[in-house]
Amino acid sequence: MRYIRFAFLGALAVVLIAVAMANRSMVELQLLPDELASLLSFQQTLSLPLFLVFFGGIVFGLLIGFVWEWLREHKHRAAAAERKTEVRKLERELKRTQAERDKDKDEVLAILDQSA
């Protein structure tokens, strides 16, 4: 299985390098459309190779997806934490109740009752 993973990662690296080599021409990214930039008298531009725009878009999309999913699952993590706290509280209460039940018993009998 490890060799299959390495083969897949190697093939992926070759494909990404080929895409990067085929798209190394420089492109100019503008922050605003020309009409809006002239209206606001503000324009920010950046010249980058085209493959960086591709890969940057992919990374940015993945980050947005990860954050979106993390926010969406917040209610599930909160419920799990609440249940975990409740389980700990119930375990402490059970130990206290068992200790009260077994306080007048012989130690051997108390140990046998706990194992059952």
Side-chain angles (χ1 to χ4, degrees), residues 30-108:
Q30 296 180 349
L31 181 64
L32 300 171
D34 291 331
E35 297 82 19
L36 187 58
S38 64
L39 180 67
L40 296 175
S41 302
F42 176 76
Q43 182 63 283
Q44 190 71 13
T45 60
L46 184 63
S47 293
L48 294 171
L50 185 58
F51 73 90
L52 284 182
V53 176
F54 287 158
F55 296 153
I58 291 169
V59 169
F60 187 68
L62 283 171
L63 288 176
I64 288 174
F66 288 147
V67 169
W68 185 270
E69 189 66 17
W70 183 77
L71 291 173
R72 190 184 68 81
E73 291 178 350
H74 172 71
K75 60 184 172 188
H76 301 293
R77 287 191 311 274
E82 183 179 317
R83 286 187 184 96
K84 190 175 183 179
T85 303
E86 184 177 344
V87 165
R88 285 182 182 158
K89 183 182 109 182
L90 290 172
E91 285 174 346
R92 284 192 308 265
E93 184 178 331
L94 178 64
K95 285 181 183 179
R96 187 178 64 242
T97 304
Q98 286 175 343
E100 288 176 6
R101 180 193 69 192
D102 297 336
K103 69 179 177 181
D104 294 332
K105 285 187 179 179
D106 185 33
E107 290 180 20
V108 175

